[in-house]
Amino acid sequence: MKIIISGSLGNIGKSLTEKLVNEGHNVTVISSNADRKAAIETLGAKAAIGSISDASFLTKTFAGADALFAMTPPNMGGSNVIENTAAAGKAFAEAIEKSNVKRVVMLSSIGADLPTGNGPIAGLYHIEKLYEKLNTSVTFLRAGYFYINFFNDIPMIKGAGIMGGNFAATSKIPLVHPEDIAIAVAEELQKSTSGINVRYIVSDVRTPGEIAKTLGTAIDKPELPWIEFTDEQSLDGMKQAGIPEEIAGLYAEMGTGLRNGKIAADFLETNASVDGKIKLEDFAKEFALKF
């Protein structure tokens, strides 16, 4: 199969590229960074260097492709994030339509069924709506909350001896490892399906209290607590850390959505399967090495 991968060689893209190349597929990886060209080619793939917001570039890149992994960055610039994310999705949709790609797997997220109240995930909601109109087979791969987001808590653990966010220690959080996403993407790209499909990819479902205890135990801090911050405290903390105000506001809103249960609701209420193999205890070993 001729397969196009967007997302460069990031947390998902590199592993996915290796899997597909090893399986004998003709793989092209899109990157906006020309410096990635050599690394992409070293993996046995072709490099397509250009902007994912450029519909003309995407159309040329998609030409003759059997399948596409469509991924847009979570933060398209420091301002107008939702609008910029949706615009990139519009460029993808236009290119998919013009190039007649037969199979599309889009990286989405838990909470993408919601138009608002989900922070940066709202951009993915708008892209899903665009893709629903395409005359091709599309799967929305809705991923859980990335384990690797907890790497951002390392300075807090070292400085204050806590983990925390603006959601409760008892909240149910669907979690996912990028490696499990790569496996699911590879599976979905090679499926023969029709119409619009939704698949959740989640590795584990745990509470922040369990997360703090498990990660804390891995770094010899078994009493590490999860502290629930107010929305205002969460917002101020991110801004003080240098995160642009709009992005900080979106992530604070996402925390609120995790706290009130709206972001995880569709996954939990539909009893979607937990397909990922990498559990919290497995990730804890990775976290300890990073710590």
Side-chain angles (χ1 to χ4, degrees), residues 64-203:
D66 297 301
L68 162 70
F69 173 50
M71 174 181 172
T72 53
N75 294 325
M76 296 288 291
S79 60
N80 301 316
V81 173
I82 302 301
E83 293 84 350
N84 291 343
T85 302
K90 186 176 181 180
F92 267 95
E94 181 182 331
I96 291 165
E97 202 162 45
K98 288 182 177 178
S99 58
N100 196 29
V101 178
K102 302 176 184 67
R103 177 85 177 108
V104 177
V105 177
M106 173 207 162
L107 182 64
S108 191
S109 170
I110 56 169
D113 55 303
L114 304 171
T116 59
N118 50 2
I121 301 170
L124 298 175
Y125 166 85
H126 293 297
I127 295 176
E128 285 197 9
K129 292 304 175 186
L130 286 168
Y131 285 18
E132 283 177 359
K133 300 174 184 177
L134 294 172
N135 186 29
T136 191
S137 168
V138 180
T139 293
F140 301 133
L141 194 64
R142 292 181 180 168
Y145 188 87
F146 281 34
Y147 284 127
I148 58 176
N149 287 337
F150 294 115
F151 288 148
N152 297 327
D153 286 72
I154 289 176
M156 189 191 308
I157 296 170
K158 290 184 174 181
I162 62 170
M163 290 183 70
N166 60 327
F167 41 101
T170 55
S171 303
K172 284 189 176 180
I173 311 294
L175 303 163
V176 72
H177 195 283
E179 178 64 24
D180 282 333
I181 296 176
I183 292 169
V185 172
E187 291 173 354
E188 291 296 328
L189 286 170
Q190 298 174 76
K191 282 184 179 178
S192 296
T193 62
S194 61
I196 303 301
N197 307 275
V198 174
R199 174 181 171 180
Y200 282 97
I201 178 62
V202 169
S203 304

Side-chain angles (χ1 to χ4, degrees), residues 36-74:
R36 287 291 182 99
K37 185 174 185 292
I40 291 168
E41 292 174 347
T42 297
L43 294 179
K46 298 174 185 176
I49 307 300
S51 171
I52 61 169
S53 297
D54 182 345
S56 177
F57 159 72
L58 293 175
T59 301
K60 292 176 183 176
T61 303
F62 296 171
D66 297 301
L68 162 70
F69 173 50
M71 174 181 172
T72 53

